[in-house]
Amino acid sequence: MSISLNVATDRPHRAAADGLVIPVAAGREVLAKLPAAVVRQLVTESKKRDFTGAWASTALIDDVKGVAAGLVALVGVGKNEPLARQAEALRRGVSSVAQELRPQAAKQLVVTVPEVEQASQLAAAAAEGAWIGTYRFSAYSKKLGEQQRKQALRKVTLLVGKEAASETRSALRSASQALAGAELARDLVNRPANDMSPAHLLAVAKDIAKQSDRISLKTFNRAQAQQAGFSAYLAVAQGSETEPYVMHLTYEPEGRTAETKKVFLVGKGITFDSGGINLKPTGYIETMKADMGGAATVLGVFSVLAKVKPDVEVHGLIGACENMVSGKAYRPGDVIRAKNGKTIEIGNTDAEGRVTLADMLSYAAEHQPNAVIDLATLTGAAVVGLGENVAALFGNNDELKEQLEVASTATSEQLAALPMPPEYRPLIDSPIADVNNSGSVRWGGAITAALFLQEFAGDVPWVHLDIAGPAYHEAHYPPYNQKGATGFGVRLLLEYLKTT
């Protein structure tokens, strides 16, 4: 899907479109340059609908005299909210409006952007809401595909003041790049495991590398990975007949020097997780095609890096494999050796993601980067604690964590920093190995998983994002995320890379 994002400086009431979106601050009149008669109609209709401009609320009003658009949609941005909160209100409100108009096959939406400082950020958020909210995955259904073709939004125009037009065009270019990357991530996660195997992920990585001479790809098949010492990762992979692949993408910026920062993005790439011998039960196993959400995010980022052009050397590392049950599968009680030499006792074969990441983080640490960020659909404990809309943030470096939190505020991809108490470290002790891959108690599972990963991150600045909740939604909330893959983390990481 691709929506044309445009900037105009027209009067809102003259804009011909299927819908005209007008942001409204709580307790104030409509924030738009509209004729007095139009404003009176909107105020009257707002009162009938009990619309007060509350944060992210909406009101749809038909047949407004003096307005060229077929419908006027009011979106509340709250009262005296900070810019990031106003942006998220628009993101959610515009998404809701776009979805309301889908059955009418609306093709064009016009959004009036308040004439405030940093109006371009509000414009970008509104565009994101329309784009993300109208995404539908229809690759396997002729009926759904035809419905999407008929109902897909084609154009969003942002109305801004003349002095903000240039900056807004630049913001929309950046937004469209990030949205395209997030859309790729959503498509990859939504595909079934029989059509998104490690080989399929490798094909996507190869296509990305072909798009730009600034991106290169190094791969390891099973035999090459064994020779390179990825033993823990291969222990997880050994239960499946499907060929596993380690992928190392590298983006080199223009003007790269010895002083250029180097960042590793590490994505968990379990293309299907049966749980192994500790088999997942019905009710949990059905969505395990989504266990490669971290890998999809990394590929989504790399798919647009050559256009975004950050001034940092970026490495994308993915260990892709299946965790399956067979006579060759690794067993509870096995002891395996990770790439950094540490031994791991397997307490639970369903804690496979951290085992694959052990080797990936060890490999990343060998390159002595300025930062390592891993993304993984790692623990149900993170979902229990934070729900589907917030990722857990762990790490060994406060500055790196703060940088990601700042980026998170800008994109509204929410992070919650959780502690890694040293007194919890004994919970992953093993009587026969350096560490156990499963905590000895039920509690604090996201924390003990992060403590396990820390054993392999080395002494470089490292952050772990447990995206088990926000990467794949069972519920339809917030309004721009449908059930299924969300592309969580793509916009967040691109924002971080642009500002690091």
Side-chain angles (χ1 to χ4, degrees):
M1 184 187 75
S2 180
I3 295 177
S4 173
L5 303 180
N6 304 274
V7 176
T9 58
D10 303 335
R11 290 280 192 173
H13 61 287
R14 295 174 182 168
D18 297 292
L20 170 65
V21 177
I22 301 174
V24 179
R28 301 179 186 177
E29 291 191 352
V30 175
L31 298 177
K33 292 183 177 180
L34 294 167
V38 173
V39 172
R40 286 194 295 271
Q41 289 181 72
L42 294 179
V43 170
T44 299
E45 295 298 327
S46 296
K47 291 178 180 178
K48 290 180 181 178
R49 292 165 173 77
D50 293 323
F51 176 82
T52 63
W55 189 82
S57 61
T58 60
L60 274 59
I61 305 170
D62 290 308
D63 300 323
V64 178
K65 295 179 180 179
V67 173
L71 174 145
V72 173
L74 305 180
V75 173
V77 297
K79 185 176 182 179
N80 299 324
E81 294 283 0
L83 183 70
R85 283 276 293 173
Q86 292 182 51
E88 177 63 3
L90 272 177
R91 196 177 283 114
R92 295 188 182 200
V94 172
S95 173
S96 295
V97 172
Q99 291 179 68
E100 286 280 349
L101 293 177
R102 274 180 62 84
Q104 303 174 32
K107 299 303 178 189
Q108 183 174 357
L109 203 60
V110 173
V111 182
T112 300
V113 181
E115 294 189 16
V116 297
E117 289 187 21
Q118 298 175 299
S120 60
Q121 292 186 31
L122 297 180
E128 288 167 358
W131 189 312
I132 299 172
T134 54
Y135 168 90
R136 296 293 185 276
F137 184 71
S138 58
Y140 297 92
S141 169
K142 183 177 180 180
K143 178 182 177 180
L144 292 177
E146 184 62 27
Q147 184 182 71
Q148 177 68 344
R149 282 189 290 274
K150 289 180 178 178
Q151 297 183 345
L153 188 65
R154 300 299 182 191
K155 184 177 181 180
V156 177
T157 300
L158 289 306
L159 301 183
V160 299
K162 291 182 179 180
E163 66 283 354
S166 178
E167 185 178 350
T168 301
R169 289 189 181 94
S170 177
L172 291 182
R173 280 194 296 271
S174 295
S176 63
Q177 291 162 358
L179 290 164
E183 188 170 303
L184 172 64
R186 296 177 88 171
D187 284 346
L188 296 179
V189 175
N190 278 327
R191 286 186 176 275
N194 64 316
D195 203 13
M196 195 41 62
S197 66
H200 286 98
L201 281 181
L202 177 59
V204 174
K206 287 181 177 179
D207 285 343
I208 290 170
K210 289 177 183 178
Q211 292 174 12
S212 171
D213 58 6
R214 300 216 162 270
I215 296 178
S216 60
L217 173 65
K218 181 179 182 180
T219 65
F220 303 81
N221 60 21
R222 195 187 298 264
Q224 293 165 334
Q226 185 66 60
Q227 186 175 7
F230 291 97
S231 300
Y233 153 75
L234 289 174
V236 174
Q238 72 190 34
S240 175
E241 296 181 0
T242 301
E243 184 76 0
Y245 292 98
V246 175
M247 301 159 230
H248 180 182
L249 287 154
T250 303
Y251 163 80
E252 292 191 6
E254 294 182 17
R256 176 177 171 271
T257 69
E259 303 302 317
T260 300
K261 290 184 178 180
K262 183 192 303 182
V263 174
F264 263 76
L265 307 179
V266 181
K268 176 184 172 184
I270 306 298
T271 58
F272 189 79
D273 178 21
S274 72
I277 290 176
N278 291 110
L279 188 69
K280 289 181 182 291
T282 298
Y284 293 88
I285 200 170
E286 291 82 0
T287 58
M288 285 301 103
K289 66 178 185 179
D291 214 14
M292 38 64 75
T297 295
V298 172
L299 291 171
V301 169
F302 264 82
S303 71
V304 296
L305 274 184
K307 295 180 180 178
V308 175
K309 299 179 180 178
D311 294 324
V312 59
E313 181 181 316
V314 188
H315 295 256
L317 186 62
I318 296 167
C321 66
E322 292 182 330
N323 182 28
M324 299 296 283
V325 184
S326 75
K328 297 180 180 179
Y330 77 141
R331 298 158 289 249
D334 283 358
V335 175
I336 58 180
R337 188 177 300 275
K339 199 174 190 306
N340 68 350
K342 291 189 177 183
T343 54
I344 304 169
E345 181 186 11
I346 303 303
N348 191 313
T349 61
D350 195 24
E352 86 301 327
R354 67 199 71 179
V355 177
T356 64
L357 288 174
D359 278 352
M360 301 307 126
L361 291 174
S362 298
Y363 177 85
E366 290 172 2
H367 291 75
Q368 288 296 303
N370 298 95
V372 175
I373 303 167
D374 79 71
L375 302 96
T377 49
L378 206 63
T379 69
V383 188
V384 171
L386 300 173
E388 287 193 318
N389 211 38
V390 183
L393 167 66
F394 300 93
N396 64 7
N397 184 278
D398 289 340
E399 182 181 0
L400 179 56
K401 288 193 290 184
E402 184 178 348
Q403 288 172 330
L404 286 170
E405 287 175 320
V406 170
S408 165
T409 299
T411 65
S412 201
E413 293 176 286
Q414 297 181 63
L415 306 178
L418 296 182
M420 298 173 66
E423 60 267 28
Y424 284 18
R425 173 57 183 79
L427 297 177
I428 55 172
D429 278 345
S430 164
I432 61 172
D434 293 322
V435 66
N436 193 298
N437 80 322
S438 181
S440 58
V441 299
R442 293 173 57 196
W443 324 119
I447 295 175
T448 52
L451 287 167
F452 177 91
L453 294 180
Q454 189 175 34
E455 297 287 316
F456 306 92
D459 58 0
V460 299
W462 159 76
V463 153
H464 160 56
L465 300 181
D466 191 332
I467 62 172
Y472 192 90
H473 278 200
E474 293 292 335
H476 173 34
Y477 184 82
Y480 44 75
N481 279 332
Q482 304 298 308
K483 182 177 179 179
T486 66
F488 183 93
V490 174
R491 293 183 297 117
L492 168 67
L493 290 178
L494 288 171
E495 181 70 20
Y496 160 76
L497 291 172
K498 287 190 295 183
T499 56
T500 188

